[in-house]
Amino acid sequence: MLLNSKYFLTTIITNLLLIVCVQAQNPIIPAGTYGADATARVLQDGKLYIYASTDESVNYPCSWHFDALSTSDLKTWTVTKNIFSSKGDKDQVPYSNAPLFAPDIAYKNGTYYLYYCQPDLKNPEGVATSKSPLGPFVNGKSINLFGNNQIDPGVFIDDDGQAYYIWGQFQAKMAKLKPNMIEIDSATIKYNVVTQKEHFFHEASYMIKRNGIYYFIYTHMGRADRATSLGYATSKSPMGPFKYGGVIIDTDHSDTATWNNHGSLVEFNKQWYVVYHHSTHGDKGMRKICIEPIKFNEDGSINEVEMTTQGAGSPLDAKEKIDAERACLLYGNVRVDTVTSTNEALTQIQKGDFAAYKYIDFKDGLNNVTASIIPGRSGGSIDVVLDNSWGPSVGTIKIPAALGNDKNIEISTTIKSVKGVHAVWLRFNSDNQESFKLDWFKFK
């Protein structure tokens, strides 16, 4: 017991030392930090927590530890690292050193249960426990499931206290959890709860209940045969049958290599939100977590929402620096990439590429733009366009070539006066692939 107490205290101190704070706007995690498979829960202290897979390399998805994000106001997010690990000096999975995928969490009788997936194993799903929502989560144990495609655990606790476990790819499976929250009741397993054929289901099961309706949230394969969307289906019973509802959000054109999505719905301070991820780096991994407000209609249906830069906050102040990596849409070859360990920028810019930022507030009027550029071997320009990508430019930033110079320079230019709230599209022109990088921009 003394050893466990020492481990708990040491880990808490270590986690606190690794806390990083980031302000509102999408993505909600800071430059140099990457996460995916976001499960959002409001827990016993009233804070909103997001548990995520941790991406760390373009060579493989996920990693050997989980991080958590938390907030009291949706304006300032705290990133707590290494709340649970499957390898290294904090290893709490004694039976495997495989990477960790797709967490979910549940609370019962003073204990937090963290569910995880290790797809390379014969029995890939497991659970660890803690007395704190930020861990340390310890004593990982395998959950004995049945059948193939055991992936992406989802846990739902109904109003009567009964917990359900959901898993699967291409078709979702579901069973009641026993009171210990660690074992499933195999007699209750139901197959084909939602399917690829009937619901465009791919993976990433998540469930909520609202006004007597059960909402099954999942990765949706119904657009261009790609898993870029989050979809939903509804039922009057936790185990179905479920009726297809539609798409909640689609991350197509968030990156050149956007492939999958994985997220959740959560109510916080009487507003509902969708939490999701999208790719960066022109890679299927290196993903970023974002959040958008959503609306339920009177009949219980959900309106599809767009990706934005403002996320859960208000439109961005045009006079403040807007980090270029916060683009919500990218067209062409342009992508978000790491330029230092704590900074990202738009890179690999080619002629005809676009980046969009939704939405920016110019208030009573601004007529100048400044951009922070990392010069390349050739020059180019950036047209500032409002509201849509094909409109006329309100101004152009001309960028010189700078052979061998990779230091940031700031370039300012006059534009037509802009008032009010707009989507801002940046239309790029460059002489070749070794062109400039865009770090940030602002108006005055």
Side-chain angles (χ1 to χ4, degrees):
M1 183 69 182
L2 179 60
L3 288 175
N4 286 341
S5 298
K6 283 173 124 180
Y7 174 83
F8 184 87
L9 180 59
T10 301
T11 305
I12 285 290
I13 293 171
T14 302
N15 281 350
L16 288 173
L17 291 174
L18 290 171
I19 283 176
V20 180
C21 290
V22 59
Q23 295 299 310
Q25 299 171 14
N26 283 330
I28 61 173
I29 49 180
T33 305
Y34 305 92
D37 310 328
T39 289
R41 304 281 187 192
V42 176
L43 296 179
Q44 276 53 43
D45 59 5
K47 293 182 179 180
L48 174 59
Y49 291 84
I50 295 176
Y51 297 84
S53 306
T54 304
D55 288 339
E56 61 182 16
S57 173
V58 295
N59 297 316
Y60 52 85
C62 302
S63 65
W64 289 262
H65 66 275
F66 287 146
D67 298 336
L69 295 87
S70 56
T71 184
S72 299
D73 56 10
L74 295 181
K75 295 179 181 179
T76 302
W77 292 85
T78 299
V79 182
T80 307
K81 293 182 173 293
N82 298 321
I83 63 168
F84 179 65
S85 299
S86 63
K87 188 171 73 171
D89 59 357
K90 298 179 184 177
D91 185 355
Q92 286 295 311
V93 186
Y95 56 88
S96 168
N97 286 329
L100 296 166
F101 288 64
D104 198 355
I105 196 164
Y107 173 84
K108 184 177 181 180
N109 298 333
T111 298
Y112 294 90
Y113 295 85
L114 182 70
Y115 300 87
Y116 56 90
C117 180
Q118 296 176 295
D120 294 338
L121 304 185
K122 181 178 179 181
N123 291 317
E125 304 199 16
V127 58
T129 59
S130 176
K131 294 299 183 181
S132 165
L134 294 177
F137 287 89
V138 298
N139 301 324
K141 293 180 174 63
S142 178
I143 297 176
N144 186 21
L145 301 176
F146 301 86
N148 297 322
N149 298 321
Q150 297 179 26
I151 191 172
D152 292 353
V155 177
F156 169 73
I157 301 178
D158 209 345
D159 298 336
D160 60 3
Q162 176 62 58
Y164 296 83
Y165 196 85
I166 316 166
W167 71 99
Q169 192 175 49
F170 307 117
Q171 60 106 346
K173 296 170 276 288
M174 192 172 182
K176 291 182 178 181
L177 272 169
K178 293 182 179 180
N180 63 15
M181 299 294 286
I182 294 173
E183 301 173 277
I184 67 166
D185 181 350
S186 60
T188 66
I189 294 176
K190 183 175 181 179
Y191 298 89
N192 297 309
V193 178
V194 296
T195 66
Q196 184 174 14
K197 182 178 179 180
E198 294 184 24
H199 309 90
F200 305 105
F201 173 79
H202 182 58
E203 59 191 13
S205 305
Y206 182 89
M207 188 179 289
I208 64 166
K209 185 179 182 181
R210 178 184 177 273
N211 293 345
I213 300 174
Y214 296 86
Y215 291 81
F216 197 114
I217 317 302
Y218 55 90
T219 300
H220 183 288
M221 279 285 292
R223 293 184 175 175
D225 292 322
R226 302 175 75 204
T228 58
S229 301
L230 290 181
Y232 76 100
T234 59
S235 176
K236 290 291 186 178
S237 168
M239 299 184 80
F242 281 90
K243 179 182 178 182
Y244 175 70
V247 169
I248 302 170
I249 193 165
D250 188 352
T251 61
D252 191 24
H253 285 294
S254 59
D255 183 81
T256 58
T258 293
W259 162 246
N260 79 329
N261 204 342
H262 186 148
S264 49
L265 301 187
V266 66
E267 185 181 24
F268 185 66
N269 291 340
K270 298 182 180 180
Q271 169 65 52
W272 281 91
Y273 298 91
V274 58
V275 183
Y276 62 101
H277 73 234
H278 66 72
S279 297
T280 64
H281 288 63
D283 183 78
K284 291 182 180 180
M286 305 302 283
R287 292 159 291 185
K288 289 282 192 176
I289 298 170
C290 299
I291 183 171
E292 311 286 355
I294 64 168
K295 179 183 177 181
F296 288 86
N297 298 312
E298 289 188 7
D299 63 359
S301 61
I302 303 172
N303 294 332
E304 182 175 350
V305 296
E306 63 178 351
M307 292 184 292
T308 71
T309 305
Q310 70 185 65
S314 302
L316 281 62
D317 186 342
K319 291 185 289 186
E320 299 292 331
K321 287 182 180 179
I322 299 169
D323 291 322
E325 69 267 18
R326 295 191 183 278
C328 56
L329 290 171
L330 296 172
Y331 284 81
N333 193 65
V334 61
R335 66 202 61 185
V336 174
D337 209 341
T338 302
V339 291
T340 72
S341 62
T342 58
N343 192 28
E344 297 162 347
L346 292 186
T347 71
Q348 300 194 38
I349 293 168
Q350 295 184 15
K351 184 177 181 179
D353 290 353
F354 289 89
Y357 301 82
K358 299 182 179 182
Y359 289 90
I360 298 176
D361 190 355
F362 293 83
K363 296 184 168 54
D364 294 333
L366 301 171
N367 63 358
N368 184 281
V369 62
T370 298
S372 178
I373 302 294
I374 303 172
R377 292 184 176 273
S378 62
S381 64
I382 304 174
D383 292 331
V384 180
V385 181
L386 302 182
D387 301 326
N388 54 64
S389 62
W390 60 85
S393 170
V394 296
T396 299
I397 305 166
K398 295 183 179 180
I399 301 163
L403 292 176
N405 181 5
D406 60 355
K407 295 183 179 180
N408 286 52
I409 61 172
E410 294 182 15
I411 303 173
S412 297
T413 190
T414 300
I415 62 172
K416 295 178 182 178
S417 182
V418 180
K419 297 181 181 181
V421 176
H422 298 272
V424 171
W425 289 79
L426 302 181
R427 185 166 57 210
F428 298 104
N429 295 285
S430 63
D431 295 335
N432 59 42
Q433 293 186 23
E434 296 182 73
S435 63
F436 58 89
K437 302 176 178 69
L438 176 63
D439 191 1
W440 55 260
F441 61 96
K442 65 179 180 179
F443 300 85
K444 63 182 181 180

